Amino acid sequence: MRTNLQGNTSSALTPLLSSVSPWLQLSAGLRTTFTTMAEQPLKKYRANCHCAAYVFEVNLPETVKAGLQDDDSYCYKRGGIYYCLQSSDDIKYEKGDPSTLSSYSFGNVKHQFCPNCGTYLFRVDSKVYVNLRAFQSFNEWNLYIEQLENASSMPSWSPPKFNGQEPPAEIEGAKIYTGGCHCGAVTLALKSKPIDSTYDANIILCDCSICNRNAYCWIYPSKSQVTIVGASHFGYYSFGRGIWKKSFCRTCGVPIHNHIDNYTPAQIAELPEDKRQWTIDHLDWSPINLRVLDGVNLSELPIKRIEGSKLGFAPYANP
């Protein structure tokens, strides 16, 4: 059983969260699971950012059946699924200095992520929460979701205004959607047919190692459908074929899109043979993470789930 993917407002979120409450009431008090961890048999879980700059272990209950989500604007864009730790001492680092993690604060909550690959690792207020998405062999689709209770009061937040040019693509009946990261350093516009329950092109949730960690929900427009302002604030992370470059805001860490360079025919010819045709086929793509678009309710979309973990160029090796 899995709750549907929630939308980007608390009103859209509430029905989805309430749909799992009967299970929670029948499960001998899952809320207690989050607060009495020490009373249960524990298991050592291994976690890491995708680039493996940070590798750590955490002792949690042997069977983690549920995770916490917050409905504030930042946590929606990041898609974090949390587990509350007793203290930061429960985290044992095998690799990486936690003082070098990038941090972004919203209200009195600090969010920590890898500065190299953008993987979101921790949420810190008066308590420390680890993002379960960073766990090795994490499977979101089999996890129950509960809303984070007693979350710190968040200040008001308004989506950053897009001030760039309209994407040049010509699409009959198109709408222009705007969005961006959380801090406002990066904004974008997407010209597309309506992104709602009638959308008939691919909207994808993937279980591969990077999509699981970053909670991407992908849509696949062409480059002419997208205008991005503030790309100088991007960090880029590439792996596998090394052709796609996954972008994230270096300030707040929000993952934005999948970038592919405008390779010339000469540059394509210089690529290894097993990458040439793939590059040609995807040269005009500009996949966007739907979580960054304003006014799009993910819970209403015809989302497809794919097992990208079985389709990758090369299997991801957990460190």
Side-chain angles (χ1 to χ4, degrees):
M1 178 181 178
R2 172 75 172 98
T3 60
N4 291 331
L5 195 66
Q6 59 264 59
N8 59 349
T9 65
S10 57
S11 60
L13 185 69
T14 301
L16 296 171
L17 293 170
S18 63
S19 69
V20 301
S21 60
W23 183 89
L24 294 171
Q25 293 167 4
L26 293 172
S27 64
L30 255 178
R31 279 188 194 89
T32 307
T33 300
F34 299 112
T35 57
T36 61
M37 184 175 67
E39 300 175 8
Q40 305 174 48
L42 298 181
K43 175 182 175 180
K44 185 175 292 184
Y45 286 86
R46 194 170 175 84
N48 60 277
C49 66
H50 197 272
C51 71
Y54 302 88
V55 182
F56 57 94
E57 293 180 339
V58 181
N59 288 324
L60 296 181
E62 188 170 1
T63 302
V64 176
K65 295 181 178 180
L68 299 169
Q69 283 193 327
D70 200 352
D71 60 358
D72 75 71
S73 53
Y74 182 82
C75 293
Y76 170 77
K77 287 181 180 289
R78 294 307 313 254
I81 301 176
Y82 311 110
Y83 203 101
C84 184
L85 304 179
Q86 296 297 303
S87 77
S88 58
D89 293 336
D90 292 332
I91 306 166
K92 306 300 182 185
Y93 280 88
E94 180 180 295
K95 183 182 177 183
D97 179 354
S99 68
T100 62
L101 286 168
S102 291
S103 293
Y104 174 71
S105 293
F106 179 55
N108 60 352
V109 178
K110 180 170 66 174
H111 304 276
Q112 296 178 308
F113 58 95
C114 173
N116 305 313
C117 64
T119 301
Y120 181 27
L121 298 178
F122 303 105
R123 177 193 188 278
V124 183
D125 49 24
S126 60
K127 300 178 181 179
V128 178
Y129 299 82
V130 62
N131 184 9
L132 293 176
R133 290 185 176 278
F135 282 32
Q136 297 178 2
S137 303
F138 170 76
N139 188 342
E140 174 194 2
W141 301 347
N142 292 331
L143 199 66
Y144 293 90
I145 302 299
E146 185 183 19
Q147 187 166 14
L148 181 62
E149 291 190 350
N150 302 317
S152 302
S153 178
M154 290 292 113
S156 60
W157 180 84
S158 297
K161 186 176 180 181
F162 173 76
N163 292 314
Q165 295 183 343
E166 178 180 322
E170 296 184 3
I171 301 173
E172 184 177 354
K175 294 181 64 175
I176 295 180
Y177 295 86
T178 60
C181 67
H182 194 268
C183 69
V186 179
T187 59
L188 62 86
L190 167 65
K191 182 182 288 186
S192 170
K193 53 190 172 182
I195 305 173
D196 55 25
S197 61
T198 67
Y199 192 82
D200 58 3
N202 281 332
I203 300 176
I204 298 294
L205 278 181
C206 171
D207 74 343
C208 77
S209 57
I210 188 69
C211 291
N212 247 337
R213 281 175 169 80
N214 285 346
Y216 294 114
C217 184
W218 290 115
I219 191 171
Y220 298 90
S222 66
K223 288 180 177 178
S224 64
Q225 291 177 252
V226 180
T227 299
I228 293 177
V229 175
S232 62
H233 296 277
F234 277 152
Y236 289 103
Y237 175 64
S238 187
F239 69 105
R241 291 184 179 87
I243 304 298
W244 286 125
K245 298 178 180 179
K246 289 179 168 56
S247 68
F248 61 94
C249 174
R250 292 197 307 271
T251 300
C252 63
V254 170
I256 303 294
H257 83 317
N258 225 348
H259 173 79
I260 186 170
D261 291 335
N262 293 317
Y263 287 89
T264 66
Q267 290 172 322
I268 291 174
E270 294 175 355
L271 292 173
E273 184 176 354
D274 58 351
K275 298 181 182 181
R276 289 177 203 156
Q277 190 58 50
W278 192 93
T279 302
I280 292 170
D281 292 342
H282 297 83
L283 196 58
D284 190 44
W285 288 28
S286 185
I288 299 295
N289 179 14
L290 278 176
R291 288 183 176 276
V292 306
L293 294 185
D294 305 321
V296 174
N297 190 335
L298 300 187
S299 67
E300 298 177 352
L301 303 182
I303 295 172
K304 300 176 184 178
R305 294 177 175 177
I306 66 168
E307 292 183 307
S309 57
K310 300 178 180 178
L311 303 174
F313 176 72
Y316 178 74
N318 285 318

